[in-house]
Amino acid sequence: LGLSLAASGQVADMEFTGDIVANVGDLDALSAFAGRPLGGSLDLSASGSVSPLAGGFDLDVEGTARDIVLGDPRLDALLAGQTTLSGGAVRDAQGFRTEGLELQNPQLQVSSNGVYSQSRTDIGLEAALNDLAAIDPRLSGAVTLDASAQGEGRQIELNADASIPDGQLLDRAVSGLDLSFDGRLDGTDLTGQIDGGGQLDALVIDLQGALGLTSEGRSLRNLEASIGGNRLTGDILRRPDGLFDGDISLDAPDLASLGALGLIEADGRASADVRLSEDAGAQNVSIVAEATDASIAGNSIGSLEANLSIADAFSLPLPEGTLNAPDIAAGTVAISSVMIDAQRPDDDATQFSAQARLPIGTLIDASAGLEQTADGFTATLGDLRLRQGDQAATLIEPATVTLSGG
C-alpha cells in the first residue's frame, strides 16, 4: 500500500516524547477510510511530545506532499505540485501556539506565529495566493490576506485585510480591491465593521456595514454597497428562532457590473425593496420590484413589475399582490407574457388568477386557491382554459389536493 508509520522515543506519565515519521506513497490507499477519492504522496516527520489523553502536543514538524487530491477541485488545484510544511505547533494547558508554522507551494503560502489562550491572545496569520485562476478560471490576480487576534481574557480584538492589487473578474479588470474587518470577540459574541473598496474597470466599488454574531442573532446593519451607479442598502437581522427582520433596497441600473462581482453574465436594470418581519412566529415578506431588459446567466425577462406580500414564507407561503412579466426566457422555456393576481380573503388562504401567452399564440387562463388547515393545506385548481386559434381545452371540474399531517 506504500504506507508506513514509525515512532521512536519514550512514554512517561501518559506522554510520548520522541520522533514520529509517516510516509504515504499513494493516498488512494486511504480513500475507503475517508469516504472520498484521495491521491498524491505524503512524507511527514514530527519531533516533540504528544499527550493523547489530554489532547496536548508540542511538535516541530517538517513534511512534503506531492500532488495532493482531496476530492474538491478547488483544494486540489491549491495543493498541486510540491507542498512543504514546517514549523512548530503547541497545544497545552496554557492554550495553543504556533511557532514559525509555514505551508508553501507554487500556488499558496501560509504562515502563522503567536498564541491563543484563555488568558492572553496574540496570534497572526498571513496568506498569499499567487493567482486566483488556480481555484476558478473566471478569476485572475494575486490575493493576500493578513489577519491578527490580540487581547486578554474574553476580550479579543480581531483585524483582517484581504486585497487584490490587480486582476480580472470574468473579462473585466479590477484594481485596488480591498476588504477589511475590524471587530471584537467577547466570549462567543462577535461584532465589528466591514469596509471595502476598489475599482471594476472605471467603476468605483465601495462597501461598509456593521456585522454582529451575538445571542440576539446574526445581523448586518447600516449596509451600504455600491459599484458605479448600482446601490444596495439595508439592515437585516436573523433572529435566534431563524426568522428575519429588516429592510433591503436595491437600485441597479447596470446589472452587468453586479454580475461580474458574482461571476455571472448579466445585463439590464433592476430595482427592489424588500421588507422582512416576524408575525406570530411566522416569516412575512413584502417585495416591490421592477426590471427592464434584464438577463442573468442566460435567463431573460423583458420587464417585470411585482408588488407582493407573502405571509408565512418559510412554511406555507400565502402571497397577496400582483406580478406582470412579459418576454420571459428561461432555458428552453419561453413565455410571451404572464399576469398573476393573488388575494387573501382571510389570514389562512390565498386565491390566484393568472393569464399567460406563449410565443406560438397559446392563451392560458387559470384560477386556483391555497388554504392552510390545522395540520396541512388544501390546494385547489378551480379553473384552467387553454386556447390556440379556434381550439380550446377546459378543466371540466375543480381539482383538489389535501395534505394532512405532513
Side-chain angles (χ1 to χ4, degrees), residues 92-390:
D92 55 23
Q94 281 70 51
F96 177 77
R97 302 191 300 279
T98 57
E99 299 170 348
L101 191 63
E102 295 185 352
L103 181 147
Q104 296 190 33
N105 65 29
Q107 299 80 235
L108 180 68
Q109 300 84 45
V110 182
S111 63
S112 177
N113 277 288
V115 58
Y116 173 75
S117 70
Q118 293 184 348
S119 60
R120 183 178 72 90
T121 296
D122 187 358
I123 192 167
L125 174 72
E126 295 182 354
L129 177 60
N130 296 335
D131 192 347
L132 285 164
I135 58 175
D136 193 318
R138 297 170 298 177
L139 303 171
S140 69
V143 58
T144 60
L145 171 68
D146 192 350
S148 65
Q150 296 179 318
E152 296 183 358
R154 293 168 54 93
Q155 305 284 335
I156 301 174
E157 301 295 326
L158 302 175
N159 304 96
D161 186 86
S163 63
I164 304 175
D166 294 286
Q168 281 195 319
L169 302 179
L170 295 180
D171 57 350
R172 304 186 65 166
V174 294
S175 59
L177 283 186
D178 186 82
L179 180 65
S180 66
F181 175 77
D182 295 295
R184 169 173 290 192
L185 183 65
D186 185 358
T188 59
D189 289 349
L190 174 66
T191 56
Q193 180 71 24
I194 299 172
D195 291 286
Q199 283 190 241
L200 176 71
D201 292 334
L203 302 177
V204 175
I205 300 171
D206 187 61
L207 169 68
Q208 54 186 322
L211 177 69
L213 304 176
T214 71
S215 59
E216 297 179 355
R218 302 178 180 183
S219 64
L220 184 58
R221 306 288 192 188
N222 302 320
L223 172 64
E224 293 189 13
S226 63
I227 172 171
N230 300 310
R231 184 174 174 84
L232 177 69
T233 60
D235 295 90
I236 188 167
L237 168 69
R238 185 181 188 272
R239 299 149 42 109
D241 59 10
L243 302 180
F244 290 84
D245 288 318
D247 297 274
I248 302 171
S249 179
L250 171 68
D251 181 15
D254 177 22
L255 287 174
S257 55
L258 286 183
L261 291 181
L263 298 180
I264 57 175
E265 297 287 348
D267 204 355
R269 60 182 299 135
S271 64
D273 291 295
V274 180
R275 171 161 291 183
L276 306 167
S277 61
E278 178 273 343
D279 182 26
Q283 181 69 64
N284 289 348
V285 181
S286 67
I287 304 171
V288 178
E290 295 181 352
T292 304
D293 297 328
S295 65
I296 299 177
N299 304 306
S300 64
I301 186 168
S303 65
L304 168 73
E305 292 182 359
N307 191 337
L308 297 169
S309 63
I310 304 171
D312 204 4
F314 290 171
S315 181
L316 181 65
L318 296 174
E320 182 174 37
T322 59
L323 184 148
N324 297 318
D327 300 326
I328 300 172
T332 59
V333 178
I335 303 173
S336 296
S337 65
V338 173
M339 293 183 292
I340 300 174
D341 183 84
Q343 301 295 327
R344 284 204 302 268
D346 56 57
D347 291 341
D348 299 322
T350 289
Q351 298 294 324
F352 301 90
S353 63
Q355 296 82 42
R357 178 190 291 271
L358 303 183
I360 59 175
T362 303
L363 302 176
I364 304 171
D365 296 281
S367 63
L370 187 62
E371 182 177 4
Q372 286 182 330
T373 61
D375 59 350
F377 67 88
T378 296
T380 302
L381 180 59
D383 180 64
L384 176 63
R385 187 181 185 196
L386 286 75
R387 290 171 289 158
Q388 177 75 49
D390 57 359

